[in-house]
Amino acid sequence: MNLSVRLFRVRAATFMVTVAGDLDLYSAPSLSPFLAPPPGPGPRHIVLAAARLSFCDVAGLRLLTSTHRILSETGGGLVIAGAPGSLRRLTTLVAGHPAGAPAHYADVTEALRACAGPGGEGFTGPPPAPRHLPSFRGPGAGRAAATGPRVRRHHA
């Protein structure tokens, strides 16, 4: 199965990445650009919404822990929301690392509140759902593109 990835900016210093599918040796390179530290000074946080992640191997774990380590160097971090039990067990194996393992939260709302911290960016609820607005093509729009614009002349 492939990996589906979406990136959302939640706050100035907090991003959410949703993943679905398999995170393995072959799909980790496609996730890597989404987990790159966001530009700007100060701590940066990334929430990985992993409720629909069906598999994660060592290559995926390596990507998640290295991202967490890089972000934690500036006071931020990577947190995981809604992870399946297998990913939670896998990350406990790296808990002894100096940067620690990414923290796990039951859901996205809880993870985002934790990233805001005391006196944080004032998170008050879950991020808005992505909106897909329909495109509107007026009457005759397809015809005008194929034959050129119609010109009407009014006779006085």
Side-chain angles (χ1 to χ4, degrees), residues 106-124:
D107 58 27
V108 171
T109 302
E110 187 179 317
L112 288 171
R113 283 200 177 107
C115 288
E121 297 178 73
F123 175 70
T124 58

PDB file of all heavy atoms in Angstrom, residues 106-124:
ATOM      1  N   ALA A 106      -3.618  10.619  22.423  1.00  0.00           N
ATOM      2  CA  ALA A 106      -4.769   9.847  21.969  1.00  0.00           C
ATOM      3  C   ALA A 106      -5.365  10.397  20.676  1.00  0.00           C
ATOM      4  O   ALA A 106      -5.809   9.645  19.820  1.00  0.00           O
ATOM      5  CB  ALA A 106      -5.841   9.802  23.058  1.00  0.00           C
ATOM      6  N   ASP A 107      -5.397  11.723  20.548  1.00  0.00           N
ATOM      7  CA  ASP A 107      -5.976  12.316  19.342  1.00  0.00           C
ATOM      8  C   ASP A 107      -5.273  13.625  18.993  1.00  0.00           C
ATOM      9  O   ASP A 107      -4.427  14.113  19.739  1.00  0.00           O
ATOM     10  CB  ASP A 107      -7.488  12.522  19.487  1.00  0.00           C
ATOM     11  CG  ASP A 107      -7.857  13.401  20.671  1.00  0.00           C
ATOM     12  OD1 ASP A 107      -7.045  14.242  21.084  1.00  0.00           O
ATOM     13  OD2 ASP A 107      -8.983  13.242  21.188  1.00  0.00           O
ATOM     14  N   VAL A 108      -5.650  14.194  17.874  1.00  0.00           N
ATOM     15  CA  VAL A 108      -5.017  15.408  17.364  1.00  0.00           C
ATOM     16  C   VAL A 108      -5.252  16.592  18.292  1.00  0.00           C
ATOM     17  O   VAL A 108      -4.344  17.385  18.545  1.00  0.00           O
ATOM     18  CB  VAL A 108      -5.522  15.706  15.935  1.00  0.00           C
ATOM     19  CG1 VAL A 108      -5.054  17.069  15.462  1.00  0.00           C
ATOM     20  CG2 VAL A 108      -5.062  14.626  14.974  1.00  0.00           C
ATOM     21  N   THR A 109      -6.451  16.715  18.825  1.00  0.00           N
ATOM     22  CA  THR A 109      -6.768  17.842  19.706  1.00  0.00           C
ATOM     23  C   THR A 109      -5.846  17.855  20.921  1.00  0.00           C
ATOM     24  O   THR A 109      -5.288  18.887  21.289  1.00  0.00           O
ATOM     25  CB  THR A 109      -8.236  17.789  20.150  1.00  0.00           C
ATOM     26  OG1 THR A 109      -9.057  17.799  18.983  1.00  0.00           O
ATOM     27  CG2 THR A 109      -8.599  18.958  21.032  1.00  0.00           C
ATOM     28  N   GLU A 110      -5.677  16.692  21.533  1.00  0.00           N
ATOM     29  CA  GLU A 110      -4.804  16.578  22.704  1.00  0.00           C
ATOM     30  C   GLU A 110      -3.351  16.904  22.339  1.00  0.00           C
ATOM     31  O   GLU A 110      -2.650  17.591  23.077  1.00  0.00           O
ATOM     32  CB  GLU A 110      -4.914  15.154  23.253  1.00  0.00           C
ATOM     33  CG  GLU A 110      -4.214  14.920  24.560  1.00  0.00           C
ATOM     34  CD  GLU A 110      -4.396  13.482  25.028  1.00  0.00           C
ATOM     35  OE1 GLU A 110      -5.513  12.944  24.930  1.00  0.00           O
ATOM     36  OE2 GLU A 110      -3.396  12.902  25.486  1.00  0.00           O
ATOM     37  N   ALA A 111      -2.896  16.440  21.190  1.00  0.00           N
ATOM     38  CA  ALA A 111      -1.523  16.700  20.751  1.00  0.00           C
ATOM     39  C   ALA A 111      -1.297  18.185  20.482  1.00  0.00           C
ATOM     40  O   ALA A 111      -0.272  18.742  20.866  1.00  0.00           O
ATOM     41  CB  ALA A 111      -1.217  15.883  19.502  1.00  0.00           C
ATOM     42  N   LEU A 112      -2.253  18.834  19.848  1.00  0.00           N
ATOM     43  CA  LEU A 112      -2.105  20.262  19.558  1.00  0.00           C
ATOM     44  C   LEU A 112      -2.125  21.098  20.828  1.00  0.00           C
ATOM     45  O   LEU A 112      -1.394  22.087  20.936  1.00  0.00           O
ATOM     46  CB  LEU A 112      -3.198  20.727  18.593  1.00  0.00           C
ATOM     47  CG  LEU A 112      -3.034  20.222  17.157  1.00  0.00           C
ATOM     48  CD1 LEU A 112      -4.269  20.534  16.339  1.00  0.00           C
ATOM     49  CD2 LEU A 112      -1.793  20.800  16.522  1.00  0.00           C
ATOM     50  N   ARG A 113      -2.939  20.708  21.789  1.00  0.00           N
ATOM     51  CA  ARG A 113      -2.940  21.425  23.071  1.00  0.00           C
ATOM     52  C   ARG A 113      -1.594  21.281  23.767  1.00  0.00           C
ATOM     53  O   ARG A 113      -1.086  22.220  24.370  1.00  0.00           O
ATOM     54  CB  ARG A 113      -4.061  20.924  23.963  1.00  0.00           C
ATOM     55  CG  ARG A 113      -5.399  21.470  23.555  1.00  0.00           C
ATOM     56  CD  ARG A 113      -6.417  21.386  24.685  1.00  0.00           C
ATOM     57  NE  ARG A 113      -7.634  22.003  24.224  1.00  0.00           N
ATOM     58  CZ  ARG A 113      -8.740  21.345  23.890  1.00  0.00           C
ATOM     59  NH1 ARG A 113      -8.773  20.032  24.006  1.00  0.00           N
ATOM     60  NH2 ARG A 113      -9.804  21.983  23.466  1.00  0.00           N
ATOM     61  N   ALA A 114      -1.007  20.099  23.688  1.00  0.00           N
ATOM     62  CA  ALA A 114       0.298  19.879  24.320  1.00  0.00           C
ATOM     63  C   ALA A 114       1.382  20.710  23.636  1.00  0.00           C
ATOM     64  O   ALA A 114       2.282  21.218  24.300  1.00  0.00           O
ATOM     65  CB  ALA A 114       0.655  18.397  24.263  1.00  0.00           C
ATOM     66  N   CYS A 115       1.285  20.865  22.329  1.00  0.00           N
ATOM     67  CA  CYS A 115       2.281  21.667  21.598  1.00  0.00           C
ATOM     68  C   CYS A 115       2.162  23.143  21.928  1.00  0.00           C
ATOM     69  O   CYS A 115       3.153  23.866  21.870  1.00  0.00           O
ATOM     70  CB  CYS A 115       2.122  21.468  20.093  1.00  0.00           C
ATOM     71  SG  CYS A 115       2.675  19.857  19.532  1.00  0.00           S
ATOM     72  N   ALA A 116       0.967  23.602  22.280  1.00  0.00           N
ATOM     73  CA  ALA A 116       0.790  25.017  22.606  1.00  0.00           C
ATOM     74  C   ALA A 116       1.498  25.342  23.907  1.00  0.00           C
ATOM     75  O   ALA A 116       2.024  26.432  24.070  1.00  0.00           O
ATOM     76  CB  ALA A 116      -0.693  25.361  22.702  1.00  0.00           C
ATOM     77  N   GLY A 117       1.532  24.388  24.836  1.00  0.00           N
ATOM     78  CA  GLY A 117       2.232  24.587  26.105  1.00  0.00           C
ATOM     79  C   GLY A 117       1.589  25.669  26.950  1.00  0.00           C
ATOM     80  O   GLY A 117       0.615  26.296  26.551  1.00  0.00           O
ATOM     81  N   PRO A 118       2.128  25.908  28.148  1.00  0.00           N
ATOM     82  CA  PRO A 118       1.585  26.958  28.997  1.00  0.00           C
ATOM     83  C   PRO A 118       1.930  28.317  28.396  1.00  0.00           C
ATOM     84  O   PRO A 118       3.069  28.602  28.129  1.00  0.00           O
ATOM     85  CB  PRO A 118       2.281  26.740  30.340  1.00  0.00           C
ATOM     86  CG  PRO A 118       3.552  26.044  29.984  1.00  0.00           C
ATOM     87  CD  PRO A 118       3.261  25.235  28.749  1.00  0.00           C
ATOM     88  N   GLY A 119       0.951  29.112  28.163  1.00  0.00           N
ATOM     89  CA  GLY A 119       1.189  30.415  27.544  1.00  0.00           C
ATOM     90  C   GLY A 119       1.600  30.262  26.098  1.00  0.00           C
ATOM     91  O   GLY A 119       2.284  31.112  25.548  1.00  0.00           O
ATOM     92  N   GLY A 120       1.173  29.163  25.466  1.00  0.00           N
ATOM     93  CA  GLY A 120       1.528  28.903  24.075  1.00  0.00           C
ATOM     94  C   GLY A 120       0.762  29.798  23.128  1.00  0.00           C
ATOM     95  O   GLY A 120       0.395  30.916  23.445  1.00  0.00           O
ATOM     96  N   GLU A 121       0.482  29.267  21.995  1.00  0.00           N
ATOM     97  CA  GLU A 121      -0.126  30.068  20.944  1.00  0.00           C
ATOM     98  C   GLU A 121      -1.639  30.131  21.055  1.00  0.00           C
ATOM     99  O   GLU A 121      -2.307  30.525  20.111  1.00  0.00           O
ATOM    100  CB  GLU A 121       0.277  29.505  19.582  1.00  0.00           C
ATOM    101  CG  GLU A 121       1.762  29.586  19.354  1.00  0.00           C
ATOM    102  CD  GLU A 121       2.135  28.993  18.026  1.00  0.00           C
ATOM    103  OE1 GLU A 121       1.857  29.633  17.001  1.00  0.00           O
ATOM    104  OE2 GLU A 121       2.687  27.901  18.014  1.00  0.00           O
ATOM    105  N   GLY A 122      -2.199  29.730  22.160  1.00  0.00           N
ATOM    106  CA  GLY A 122      -3.634  29.880  22.367  1.00  0.00           C
ATOM    107  C   GLY A 122      -4.499  28.948  21.545  1.00  0.00           C
ATOM    108  O   GLY A 122      -5.508  29.352  20.997  1.00  0.00           O
ATOM    109  N   PHE A 123      -4.151  27.691  21.468  1.00  0.00           N
ATOM    110  CA  PHE A 123      -4.962  26.742  20.721  1.00  0.00           C
ATOM    111  C   PHE A 123      -6.286  26.538  21.429  1.00  0.00           C
ATOM    112  O   PHE A 123      -6.332  26.309  22.625  1.00  0.00           O
ATOM    113  CB  PHE A 123      -4.223  25.411  20.592  1.00  0.00           C
ATOM    114  CG  PHE A 123      -5.042  24.352  19.932  1.00  0.00           C
ATOM    115  CD1 PHE A 123      -5.340  24.452  18.587  1.00  0.00           C
ATOM    116  CD2 PHE A 123      -5.530  23.288  20.637  1.00  0.00           C
ATOM    117  CE1 PHE A 123      -6.108  23.493  17.970  1.00  0.00           C
ATOM    118  CE2 PHE A 123      -6.290  22.320  20.029  1.00  0.00           C
ATOM    119  CZ  PHE A 123      -6.579  22.427  18.686  1.00  0.00           C
ATOM    120  N   THR A 124      -7.379  26.623  20.696  1.00  0.00           N
ATOM    121  CA  THR A 124      -8.695  26.488  21.305  1.00  0.00           C
ATOM    122  C   THR A 124      -9.507  25.331  20.754  1.00  0.00           C
ATOM    123  O   THR A 124     -10.577  25.057  21.241  1.00  0.00           O
ATOM    124  CB  THR A 124      -9.516  27.773  21.121  1.00  0.00           C
ATOM    125  OG1 THR A 124      -9.616  28.048  19.714  1.00  0.00           O
ATOM    126  CG2 THR A 124      -8.864  28.940  21.826  1.00  0.00           C
TER     127      THR A 124
END
